[in-house]
Amino acid sequence: MSYETIIGLEVHVQLKTASKAFCGCGTEFGLAPNTQVCPVCLGFPGTLPVLNRQFLNYGLRVALALNCQPAAFLKFDRKHYFYPDLPKNYQISQYDQPLAANGWIDIDTPQERKRIRIKRVHMEEDAGKLIHTAAATLVDYNRCGMPLLEIVSEPDIASAQQAYDYLVKLKAIIAYLDVSDCDMEKGSLRCDANISLRPCGQQRLGVKTEVKNMNSFKGVRDALNYEAGRQEDILGAGGAIEQQTRLWNETQQKTILMRSKEEAHDYRYFPEPDLVPFTIAPQTIAAAQATLPELPEAKKERLMNQFGLPAYDADVISSDKHLALFFEETAKGYPVPKTVSNWLMGDIMSYCNEHRLDFAQLPEVLPARNLIDLLQRIDQGTISGKIAKTILPELFGSDKTVDRIIAEKNLCQISDTAELNEVIRTVLRENAGVVTEFKSGKEKSFMFLVGQIMKKTRGKANPQLITTLLRERINSET
Amino acid sequence: MPISRATVEHIARLSRIALPDAEAALLTGQLDTILRYIEKLDQLDTASIPAMSHVLGLTNVFREDMRRPSLAPEDSLANAPAGDNGQFQVPKII
């Protein structure tokens, strides 16, 4: 029997406000334990939380960018659970009147463009961090009270790959809004997944499991692939899926039982009496909508229309706001956008990946002006494309200009016919055997000779020119 | 009876409160009386009254996104029964 996979994702995004959701503590990552706490976020009796205005503003921007309908009226609720990561024994969250609902993100599958609906977006506070030692559990409440948005998709995702694509899109949109670092390693973006299988054609949903503890998008994809396989094995053998929460184990590459349905939470939600309700006026929504930046989809369209980039290039470049900005800045000063895109997607992206450079740092370490100069020197024949590739790493983080590097390293392309002919003569003399081979029809030998000339000129010979000169020379000898 | 012994035990378990038999029986009776009293409100016709989520008539009470000093490290743990190197220490839970 063949099965259909059904996945829904719950994504938590930490918003980068200056202070926490309901108190004035800072929001820095990686501070010494419990140095960013106060009576409010420690849940001391008699304290009152007050909503951070920016939390709602950022949340509203995300909701609108995800095509959601913001609520005219919203309130907060207490979600009760008893665990040391939460000193109040409840989390301030939203239950039945969330910030926004009914949005969507479009993803591209190999077959079609597919709409993944977003059920709701709600605001809540983060919990603290637990460290389990052999003797005790230690608690750091620095993260407690950080502003989180929970973005819940409908179960419209049909594969692990689609889940991955959805996350990539979601992250790009939020990054464009500049309201979160979206860094899974630092926990500013977290993802839990619900997954179930059902026989193809069946209407009723199968029993689902919840999978947690993935710390990268790739981890999400691997965990969902594993879990789909696990469920398929059970169903295929005539078994039944148990409703469970399972943890992804990255090292073992498998999901492990965390808790079963019997232990499922019963949160006893009720309205948070410490916070009054909130209203969002239509003009506030309109104003927020009007100030949304150009989002990835629109950027992609424009890169194709305005700069004539192929869909693939536009997709890659628009997937990161900073990459897109750098592209546009460079393309303003250089007339062939496709060349800029090739350099970005090739050498520049590899360099950034290799050196763990964030694209946000690009303008700092590689001013667009330098890339423009580099590309122009190729066009002008000053250097070859190959030499340009060796200059690029020198440009990163350097205050030297392209011309200065070319001069200092003596990288100017040799386009002087007399000089090149001299080198060609030497190479032909030293490789008489290869020349004979070439003349007897071995086309490959020609490339060998070109290679020898390049070697002697340390890569500086003008490649078009030596090809012409070499042929002329060989032909004249026959 | 609006509240059962089973419900009381369930809530005690959710709240991580150990409830001896005698206390469970006592609390079931007490909670039952309280809830019966509250149930009198059901006699009112509230069909035409909009639901409210807060007793104050206020909405939109914000604070600006400004940082304020946090507690000094020695103060944040001052009331904790046990601490370890700036961290709160609780009984082992895993």
Side-chain angles (χ1 to χ4, degrees):
Chain A
M1 193 184 294
S2 66
Y3 297 94
E4 184 184 5
T5 306
I6 294 170
I7 297 167
L9 296 181
E10 286 172 17
V11 175
H12 285 91
V13 177
Q14 187 193 320
L15 299 176
K16 53 177 184 190
T17 52
S19 62
K20 287 186 178 179
F22 302 110
C23 65
C25 286
T27 52
E28 269 169 70
F29 177 80
L31 294 184
N34 298 303
T35 53
Q36 200 163 244
V37 293
C38 75
V40 174
C41 56
L42 285 176
F44 284 6
T47 54
L48 266 188
V50 186
L51 180 64
N52 182 342
R53 187 191 296 275
Q54 193 72 308
F55 184 9
L56 184 61
N57 288 346
Y58 282 176
L60 182 59
R61 283 161 69 81
V62 172
L64 291 171
L66 298 177
N67 309 297
C68 288
Q69 181 61 50
F73 178 94
L74 55 108
K75 69 174 173 72
F76 288 90
D77 299 276
R78 291 184 176 183
K79 175 181 178 176
H80 298 87
Y81 70 88
F82 292 73
Y83 201 60
D85 66 353
L86 209 57
K88 296 194 296 290
N89 290 337
Y90 60 84
Q91 177 191 30
I92 303 178
S93 179
Q94 293 191 286
Y95 183 55
D96 56 348
Q97 291 183 290
L99 170 65
N102 301 326
W104 74 83
I105 290 178
D106 287 332
I107 60 167
D108 293 304
T109 71
Q111 293 80 34
E112 52 171 0
R113 166 147 284 214
K114 182 172 176 180
R115 179 151 294 180
I116 310 296
R117 291 169 302 154
I118 291 167
K119 187 176 180 172
R120 57 185 274 157
V121 176
H122 75 247
M123 303 157 77
E124 63 184 30
E125 58 177 345
D126 206 348
K129 194 174 90 186
L130 302 181
I131 293 159
H132 306 286
T133 68
T137 293
L138 303 174
V139 198
D140 172 10
Y141 288 121
N142 280 348
R143 211 178 61 188
C144 205
M146 296 279 199
L148 295 183
L149 276 190
E150 180 171 332
I151 300 159
V152 185
S153 86
E154 294 284 358
D156 290 346
I157 300 165
S159 68
Q161 182 59 41
Q162 286 182 18
Y164 181 90
D165 294 341
Y166 167 87
L167 288 172
V168 168
K169 285 256 168 146
L170 177 62
K171 178 180 169 174
I173 291 169
I174 294 172
Y176 267 63
L177 296 173
D178 200 22
V179 296
S180 171
D181 293 330
C182 292
D183 186 338
M184 262 186 121
E185 277 173 30
K186 288 183 182 170
S188 56
L189 191 153
R190 281 166 260 164
C191 175
D192 300 335
N194 287 299
I195 174 169
S196 66
L197 264 54
R198 69 178 169 195
C200 288
Q202 179 181 301
Q203 270 302 304
R204 189 169 42 84
L205 290 171
V207 176
K208 67 180 180 188
T209 58
E210 184 179 8
V211 189
K212 290 173 173 286
N213 200 39
M214 292 80 82
N215 53 21
S216 65
F217 287 180
K218 191 181 159 297
V220 173
R221 186 169 56 193
D222 292 345
L224 287 171
N225 272 328
Y226 173 86
E227 187 58 18
R230 190 190 70 89
Q231 293 190 12
E232 191 173 343
D233 288 349
I234 294 174
L235 294 171
I241 303 301
E242 227 188 295
Q243 189 176 329
Q244 296 172 336
T245 301
R246 302 180 67 86
L247 293 182
W248 172 242
N249 186 310
E250 182 76 34
T251 332
Q252 295 180 38
Q253 290 286 301
K254 61 183 195 180
T255 63
I256 291 158
L257 177 65
M258 179 195 177
R259 62 171 171 257
S260 60
K261 191 190 177 183
E262 292 73 57
E263 302 159 63
H265 285 309
D266 177 353
Y267 294 120
R268 304 271 153 168
Y269 283 97
F270 66 67
E272 164 60 287
D274 286 348
L275 289 161
V276 297
F278 294 84
T279 55
I280 307 177
Q283 15 341 343
T284 309
I285 296 172
Q289 187 87 56
T291 56
L292 286 184
E294 182 181 42
L295 295 170
E297 287 278 303
K299 178 79 82 182
K300 180 183 169 186
E301 287 291 312
R302 197 164 57 77
L303 292 182
M304 292 168 71
N305 296 334
Q306 185 182 334
F307 295 98
L309 288 188
Y312 176 80
D313 296 43
D315 205 39
V316 173
I317 289 172
S318 67
S319 71
D320 185 280
K321 177 188 174 180
H322 300 287
L323 198 58
L325 286 175
F326 185 76
F327 168 81
E328 288 191 60
E329 190 63 27
T330 311
K332 256 190 248 164
Y334 184 77
V336 194
K338 177 62 182 147
T339 304
V340 178
S341 129
N342 288 347
W343 275 79
L344 274 183
M345 297 196 304
D347 290 69
I348 293 174
M349 274 174 91
S350 325
Y351 185 93
C352 289
N353 289 339
E354 205 177 302
H355 295 81
R356 296 187 64 82
L357 258 178
D358 196 279
F359 296 136
Q361 294 163 271
L362 266 180
E364 221 175 286
V365 296
L366 182 69
R369 182 70 251 164
N370 281 354
L371 182 58
I372 294 167
D373 285 347
L374 187 68
L375 300 181
Q376 283 176 343
R377 295 303 169 268
I378 304 172
D379 292 348
Q380 291 156 354
T382 317
I383 50 172
S384 68
K386 216 165 180 177
I387 289 289
K389 281 176 190 287
T390 69
I391 294 175
L392 184 72
E394 310 263 336
L395 279 173
F396 273 97
S398 163
D399 51 9
K400 290 180 186 169
T401 61
V402 172
D403 289 334
R404 176 131 175 243
I405 294 176
I406 294 174
E408 278 183 7
K409 303 213 146 192
N410 188 22
L411 294 171
C412 253
Q413 184 161 260
I414 306 169
S415 298
D416 180 75
T417 314
E419 194 179 343
L420 289 177
N421 270 329
E422 186 56 39
V423 179
I424 291 171
R425 244 194 312 278
T426 315
V427 168
L428 292 183
R429 198 170 52 236
E430 289 171 359
N431 297 281
V434 182
V435 177
T436 317
E437 276 176 18
F438 173 68
K439 283 179 179 166
S440 61
K442 196 172 168 194
E443 199 48 42
K444 255 187 172 167
S445 306
F446 188 78
M447 286 323 291
F448 174 80
L449 293 171
V450 171
Q452 292 304 305
I453 296 162
M454 277 298 183
K455 207 169 158 188
K456 282 210 189 300
T457 57
R458 290 188 298 126
K460 292 188 293 180
N462 180 325
Q464 282 87 33
L465 199 53
I466 51 171
T467 309
T468 319
L469 293 176
L470 183 60
R471 274 197 199 280
E472 277 173 9
R473 185 86 205 165
I474 294 174
N475 290 338
S476 72
E477 280 183 4
T478 46
Chain B
M1 193 153 118
I3 194 159
S4 68
R5 169 87 176 242
T7 307
V8 172
E9 282 170 356
H10 175 60
I11 293 169
R13 207 175 72 83
L14 286 176
S15 316
R16 307 288 185 271
I17 295 172
L19 211 54
D21 273 357
E23 273 187 65
L26 179 69
L27 283 173
T28 306
Q30 288 181 349
L31 285 170
D32 192 56
T33 312
I34 294 167
L35 289 176
R36 273 173 198 280
Y37 176 65
I38 300 291
E39 265 180 1
K40 282 189 183 170
L41 291 173
D42 290 347
Q43 292 164 22
L44 293 171
D45 178 11
T46 56
S48 60
I49 299 170
M52 74 180 200
S53 59
H54 204 280
V55 292
L56 299 177
L58 297 170
T59 54
N60 302 344
V61 177
F62 291 105
R63 42 174 281 274
E64 298 306 319
D65 187 17
M66 305 274 276
R67 232 176 253 205
R68 294 179 56 172
S70 296
L71 287 175
E74 61 274 20
D75 290 341
S76 46
L77 266 77
N79 293 336
D84 180 2
N85 231 339
Q87 306 193 75
F88 292 87
Q89 188 182 321
V90 298
K92 202 175 172 220
I93 50 166
I94 284 192

